[in-house]
Amino acid sequence: VKMGSPTQRTAVTAAACSVLFFIVGILIGKFAGAPEPVPAWFRGMSTDGDSKLTETLMKEIRTDNIQSDLNSIRNFTMKPHIAGSPREEEELVTYVFNEFKKHLDSARIFSYKVLLSYPNATDPNYVAVQLENGTEVEVSAKVEKVLGQDQDDSTVVNPFNAYSRPGIVTGDLVYVNYGTIEDFLYMSRNLSMDLNGTIALARYGKIFRGDKVKHAAQFGCAGVILYSDPADYAVGGHWRVYPDDWWLPGSGVQRGSVLPVDGDPLTPFYPSIDSAYYLDQKEISVLSAIPVTPIGYDDAIRYLRLLAGPDVPSTWRGQLNVTYRHGPGFTAPHDNSKMKLYVQTYSEKRITKNVIGYIRGQYEPDRYVLIGNHRDAWVFGAVDPSSGTSAMMELARAFGNLLKEGWRPRRSIMFCNWGAEEHGLIGSTEWVEELIKTLGNRAVAYLNVDIAVEGNATLIAAATPNLYKLLCESAKKVENPNPEEVARGRKTVFDTWLANSPSHYDPALPQIDSIGSGSDYTAFLQIAGIPCTDIRYTYSQKAYKISSYPLYHSAYETFGLVSGLMDKGFKYHQAVARLWGVMAKTLADKVLLDLDCTQYASKLKDFPNNVQKKLKEDRNKKKTYQIVFYLLFSFLFGWCQSEQRTHQLLSEIQHHNPLEVRRLNDQLMEVERAFIDPLGIFGRPWYRHTIFAPSQHDAYGSSSFPGLTDALFDIENDKDQVKRWEAVKKEVSVAAFTIHSAAGVMKDVN
Amino acid sequence: VKMGSPTQRTAVTAAACSVLFFIVGILIGKFAGAPEPVPAWFRGMSTDGDSKLTETLMKEIRTDNIQSDLNSIRNFTMKPHIAGSPREEEELVTYVFNEFKKHLDSARIFSYKVLLSYPNATDPNYVAVQLENGTEVEVSAKVEKVLGQDQDDSTVVNPFNAYSRPGIVTGDLVYVNYGTIEDFLYMSRNLSMDLNGTIALARYGKIFRGDKVKHAAQFGCAGVILYSDPADYAVGGHWRVYPDDWWLPGSGVQRGSVLPVDGDPLTPFYPSIDSAYYLDQKEISVLSAIPVTPIGYDDAIRYLRLLAGPDVPSTWRGQLNVTYRHGPGFTAPHDNSKMKLYVQTYSEKRITKNVIGYIRGQYEPDRYVLIGNHRDAWVFGAVDPSSGTSAMMELARAFGNLLKEGWRPRRSIMFCNWGAEEHGLIGSTEWVEELIKTLGNRAVAYLNVDIAVEGNATLIAAATPNLYKLLCESAKKVENPNPEEVARGRKTVFDTWLANSPSHYDPALPQIDSIGSGSDYTAFLQIAGIPCTDIRYTYSQKAYKISSYPLYHSAYETFGLVSGLMDKGFKYHQAVARLWGVMAKTLADKVLLDLDCTQYASKLKDFPNNVQKKLKEDRNKKKTYQIVFYLLFSFLFGWCQSEQRTHQLLSEIQHHNPLEVRRLNDQLMEVERAFIDPLGIFGRPWYRHTIFAPSQHDAYGSSSFPGLTDALFDIENDKDQVKRWEAVKKEVSVAAFTIHSAAGVMKDVN
């Protein structure tokens, strides 16, 4: 074909022009007035983390690692590791530090010199019957018998109660049941017993042991002997005991601290760092006012048999084969004998260490998601706390693998391995005291596991209400470790949990306990106002009405117990680690924080509802109560409105606007902080959370509006009604102001 | 031309194709694989506000508005406006509220029911000489004589000291100079005078009047009479007095509060909102222990003339035409006469109100720049505070005009108009107590002006060190209101300021005072740890060695004084308003906060430097001091390193990454908060700033490390050296921990 034809020329020219203009057009289109491109990090900043990686994380958490020799419970439980010992503060600290360094971005050790307490190794504590001539008979066991053979028992610490005052005292024995305030009031009011100078024999259970000692001292006792009754530790004729079953044998003794405060008692409110000012040990009043030491029930029955006095009421009876009597003193031929208490427990300054492992957040490194567990144990600690420690080590490894695959969370994650929890939450408290200014501003939540597994019936949890939703949604993602439950159609941890204990105000939610004090979350919640959770897998609380698993704080909390009796195959440990990991990853990854303020309203309404109930019972008081509580109730109503508004805002927020997101997230964090009163709860300034501080008569308990609850306690029987109601009014005022503050932070401009 | 020719067809076809492909090309170029555009708000979020608008703002601030009838000093000074009066809490509150609503985004009134104090209107306070037969002679003036004619004097409140205990007492008169602790120690130690039951005549000046009364009560006096000596209020034979000059006439009396705490004394630590719990007025110990009332020097000279006892030393002499004697008691024939003090001052609960005006920030509405000034005055308050109030009203109007022109700051700006400052910083303190949870997290800075203009020599300022740089840079932008200074080449406010008082550690900086307590910034600094400034134009402090401008708190602080004598043309008012506005706008507009942490190091080093100086004087103490202070100094060194690192980070930061910017800004805000100890300064828990709380013996003063300064005060003369050094060690520990905390917040991950 000849190229010169007009048609061809037309076509060629047209094509050439077209190509030329096409290219020019593209270039113009691309560059002329083109918008600036969005930087890559900007997109990342506005996107939730990949939720598929949550599945990967869960797969990474393996049972064999939790139990294996290297990074597992086996390593932690091989030897005793009491706080302040070389095993605990050197070998295990180094191990944890190296593991964190290996798997995470970095790790750091925080050391504190603090007051710790020990029994005298060469002069053990004991109790005995002292005859009139001074001879001691029926001397209690000074060491806990060795049972099972799976560990190195050479450094087991003999039974003692930490921070007992040392002392040798004699007196008439009295049996004081659980040593609650009600028990002592019964003896003094109903039985008109004079307890001055007596030795109180109290069974473990129901309340914090330190409060038993406090009550005994208040009523004039000269000393306290604590023991574990089969009714609480070898229930219902279960005489198959450790090492054949999980029940406590008669030789087993529960150790434990009686310290009434948290953290180093020599440096209240400040951290025990190099520059610390230490109180003189002689000047502090936190050591127990009277000596105390614990014994097993093989010993206790010997003294109970001798007791004189009237029979106790049925609720006071334990399950030892003896007639429980009140005392005081012994029956013939021992009517002139006394009970003797020989306590050489001492306190001294030693170093305790926290190991912190870090994953640095990509977009908000200054927002911290903290997970924590303590490392120290009274003896082998296979349940308390090494079940939790192993779960955390595995979690660190699993998160480390995600990091290697390129994942990095939006926010920072910190793995906190605490020292000296058993002595009085000392490692975690000193750390929070040291870092209060950063944690107070930056911590999103603290997720605690102390004991990971103490049974295999169901999950239980305590939490601040803003984490209820996250807890439930996360538990729905974790597969049920119990095949029988799965066979019943309960596929997830959540299903069994809900079936076991539905909440009384929302049947779609499982019961979640109020969180107050008792493990390492305390300082986070009470000093800094940081949202907290505490989770564990537990035994059936319906089948066993006991205060703790039977071998708690005894020398029989061993690897054999856990691997042979409590969690063969470590599936329950795995489930807890998974739940823990899912919660941490969700909080660290999602653009909007998973802090849900709507649950607070339901929780806070509990208090007015209880007051209303009381009013129905006693119509005379109606007017007084209405006047006093009117404002609190109206503020609560205001709170509910703020909460609705915030909830609305959250649904309308522009996820892609990083400052808008940050602002709302900050407000959600501020809500919990708003409940902190820097002056503390009346009479207990170390607790600062006006909603969830522990109850006055049991540090393990938790009540809402503790100041108000304390002020109202037994108010009907007080002779000075005017003064008492003034105290109530003052507490109402504090509570109302707190609610007002918390409603305020939900606005962006005040 | 025929259209069918091949050439034409080629051209047409080519053109058509070209156009078609051109358009397609443009479209492809624009949309195929094009990057997502950056949203407009994203660009705004990363850009400093337009600095040209700062010029506009300054032009908007006009002298005629400041003095004009409508929104001006004239309106405020027309009638007396003491806190709690109808003029103050109704008319002026309504006026300010409406102005704020008109010019700003919104306005809100916060009301508090608080304890206020007044003289009895029908039964005025007085002092007199009481003869042996009970007759009163030489009775002092019960009302302040009317001078000048520019205002409505019908509601002038008679001279009194707020929160004096009421009482009628008689006793021997003693002259106690300024009533400082040193003055009283001189009388008791050097002169061995027994002051029990005496009436102290103290001249105003040097220290806070409340401390004079506290000292007198400590030394056993039964009452206090305060008076203004010409040496301090009509200096150097300047007997030309108001209304002809600015000096105090003999009829003038300084009013003022003697309350030793800040905020409503009935609700310490909590706001006086509806739900407040009020202490019983009878139970509080904050009312002065002994009655006190003020008089003028025309009255004072009558009592000084009668005084017996030895002549005073030269430093005690005032400038009245009398021989100053110590007392006690009068010379013949009055040697059996007594001084009588008749005080009917009372306290009662009344409403005080704060008016807050808001400009909502565009990108960070949850970050607040606060400017504040009080509204209440003892009488007409033309200087204190209405000079400042007028400046703020004009600033609100000027900012309002910027808003109308389309400007909107990155952060929120709040205009705070306080009530009941004169009584004891009550309005501002209650507000900070109410909003502590939001302000504590969100306030960037609080910029106070109390008196805007009390002279025309130079600017003076007090500030937290992180605002030194902003103060200086802003002052460089404001033109000098003094033409004589401009003629000397000092073109800006800064130039005159620097020339007047160069700083002792950096000659390029003017002297900026430490900020502690004394005006409405106190609660912001001491409760919440918010960076603060306080600025005013003042008289020459070299020419006049006086404690305040002469007519301070008298009935002669009138519009005539200001417009006729102190600031004809209102140029100095304008300059202060401009400086105030530039600082607020800069803090609100710039992406990176203008909080400079480097000045803290210089300031904090003052303390160790002083200790070192002391060591050179006394080599024996070297070892003790070294041991005690070693850690504090080493922590200070650590602080300096952190500060360098943060400074470096700030220079490297990516301005366009909003979360990185927010993170660093948050850290800069956290530094000041880190100095707050929730437990408060030892013995004075209402002051919480461990670096800048007021000195113990003068609430107007300010010392760094106040706890430590108090602990070291007069330590050489203490008999119990062990106990005193323990106290020092404890304060060193608190100071070191504070520095450690503040260094910690400069890291993003701890």
Side-chain angles (χ1 to χ4, degrees), chain A residues 445-505:
Chain A
Y446 172 74
L447 313 177
N448 192 65
V449 170
D450 184 323
I451 295 157
V453 176
E454 61 181 13
N456 53 25
T458 179
L459 185 79
I460 49 169
T464 49
N466 44 11
L467 288 168
Y468 286 4
K469 197 175 148 203
L470 176 69
L471 255 173
C472 293
E473 293 310 310
S474 303
K476 286 177 186 167
K477 294 194 176 116
V478 181
E479 63 186 42
N480 203 321
N482 185 334
E484 288 169 33
E485 286 287 293
V486 174
R488 280 190 204 117
R490 296 174 188 155
K491 294 200 173 138
T492 70
V493 164
F494 179 83
D495 298 333
T496 296
W497 184 24
L498 179 62
N500 250 281
S501 53
S503 144
H504 64 278
Y505 61 87

Side-chain angles (χ1 to χ4, degrees), chain B residues 379-487:
Chain B
V379 192
F380 301 104
V383 178
D384 179 6
S386 303
S387 63
T389 318
S390 315
M392 187 157 85
M393 298 318 287
E394 178 58 5
L395 207 50
R397 201 198 55 79
F399 271 117
N401 281 1
L402 286 200
L403 286 177
K404 277 175 208 132
E405 289 164 30
W407 169 81
R408 181 159 292 280
R410 178 186 183 86
R411 303 181 181 87
S412 295
I413 302 180
M414 296 186 188
F415 295 75
C416 309
N417 177 248
W418 308 120
E421 190 267 1
E422 294 295 358
H423 276 83
L425 318 181
I426 293 180
S428 56
T429 302
E430 297 307 308
W431 196 74
V432 172
E433 285 175 348
E434 180 178 359
L435 300 184
I436 178 63
K437 295 297 177 180
T438 41
L439 295 172
N441 286 308
R442 302 175 189 172
V444 166
Y446 172 74
L447 313 177
N448 192 65
V449 170
D450 184 322
I451 294 158
V453 177
E454 61 181 13
N456 52 25
T458 178
L459 185 79
I460 49 168
T464 48
N466 44 11
L467 288 168
Y468 287 3
K469 198 174 147 203
L470 176 69
L471 255 173
C472 293
E473 294 309 310
S474 303
K476 286 176 188 170
K477 295 195 176 115
V478 181
E479 65 185 41
N480 203 320
N482 185 336
E484 290 168 33
E485 287 287 293
V486 173

Side-chain angles (χ1 to χ4, degrees), chain B residues 210-525:
Chain B
D211 289 320
K212 298 171 194 266
V213 183
K214 188 179 79 179
H215 299 151
Q218 274 170 16
F219 284 81
C221 300
V224 177
I225 303 164
L226 298 170
Y227 85 103
S228 311
D229 196 282
D232 306 283
Y233 297 91
V235 179
H238 282 83
W239 295 101
R240 265 175 63 87
V241 296
Y242 183 83
D244 304 315
D245 204 339
W246 80 324
W247 299 106
L248 184 75
S251 59
V253 185
Q254 181 186 128
R255 289 155 192 76
S257 174
V258 295
L259 191 68
V261 296
D262 301 329
D264 183 359
L266 297 182
T267 62
F269 303 107
Y270 297 98
S272 295
I273 54 177
D274 285 349
S275 61
Y277 179 80
Y278 288 90
L279 298 175
D280 188 331
Q281 199 188 318
K282 286 171 214 118
E283 286 169 22
I284 58 171
S285 57
V286 291
L287 289 192
S288 70
I290 50 178
V292 54
T293 205
I295 59 174
Y297 60 81
D298 278 354
D299 282 327
I301 195 169
R302 300 198 278 166
Y303 313 121
L304 285 165
R305 271 198 200 111
L306 296 178
L307 258 187
D311 286 9
V312 300
S314 62
T315 52
W316 283 48
R317 269 177 229 141
Q319 288 181 6
L320 285 169
N321 186 17
V322 66
T323 304
Y324 288 77
R325 296 202 174 85
H326 282 292
F330 298 129
T331 51
H334 281 297
D335 44 346
N336 286 323
S337 300
K338 300 283 177 193
M339 195 70 207
K340 177 170 181 173
L341 186 54
Y342 184 89
V343 178
Q344 294 295 342
T345 300
Y346 68 100
S347 302
E348 66 175 17
K349 279 190 222 164
R350 290 200 194 173
I351 299 289
T352 189
K353 293 173 187 162
N354 302 323
V355 189
I356 313 291
Y358 302 88
I359 297 177
R360 189 183 163 83
Q362 182 158 25
Y363 301 114
E364 297 188 86
D366 60 337
R367 286 295 173 263
Y368 311 160
V369 175
L370 300 129
I371 72 170
N373 160 272
H374 68 97
R375 186 183 59 248
D376 66 301
W378 285 123
V379 192
F380 301 104
V383 178
D384 179 6
S386 303
S387 63
T389 318
S390 315
M392 187 157 85
M393 298 318 287
E394 178 58 5
L395 207 50
R397 201 198 55 79
F399 271 117
N401 281 1
L402 286 200
L403 286 177
K404 277 175 208 132
E405 289 164 30
W407 169 81
R408 181 159 292 280
R410 178 186 183 86
R411 303 181 181 87
S412 295
I413 302 180
M414 296 186 188
F415 295 75
C416 309
N417 177 248
W418 308 120
E421 190 267 1
E422 294 295 358
H423 276 83
L425 318 181
I426 293 180
S428 56
T429 302
E430 297 307 308
W431 196 74
V432 172
E433 285 175 348
E434 180 178 359
L435 300 184
I436 178 63
K437 295 297 177 180
T438 41
L439 295 172
N441 286 308
R442 302 175 189 172
V444 166
Y446 172 74
L447 313 177
N448 192 65
V449 170
D450 184 322
I451 294 158
V453 177
E454 61 181 13
N456 52 25
T458 178
L459 185 79
I460 49 168
T464 48
N466 44 11
L467 288 168
Y468 287 3
K469 198 174 147 203
L470 176 69
L471 255 173
C472 293
E473 294 309 310
S474 303
K476 286 176 188 170
K477 295 195 176 115
V478 181
E479 65 185 41
N480 203 320
N482 185 336
E484 290 168 33
E485 287 287 293
V486 173
R488 283 188 202 120
R490 297 175 187 154
K491 294 199 174 139
T492 69
V493 163
F494 179 83
D495 298 332
T496 296
W497 184 23
L498 179 63
N500 249 281
S501 52
S503 143
H504 65 279
Y505 61 86
D506 182 352
L509 277 182
Q511 170 65 31
I512 297 175
D513 296 328
S514 290
I515 192 162
S517 175
S519 187
D520 290 306
Y521 50 77
T522 308
F524 290 89
L525 183 68

Side-chain angles (χ1 to χ4, degrees), chain A residues 696-728:
Chain A
Q696 200 175 14
H697 301 292
D698 171 21
Y700 283 165
S702 169
S703 57
S704 41
F705 298 112
L708 201 41
T709 305
D710 285 356
L712 284 167
F713 179 78
D714 203 28
I715 194 167
E716 292 82 0
N717 296 319
D718 200 312
K719 279 165 199 159
D720 193 342
Q721 286 288 309
V722 174
K723 195 176 159 199
R724 278 297 295 276
W725 277 100
E726 281 302 304
V728 171

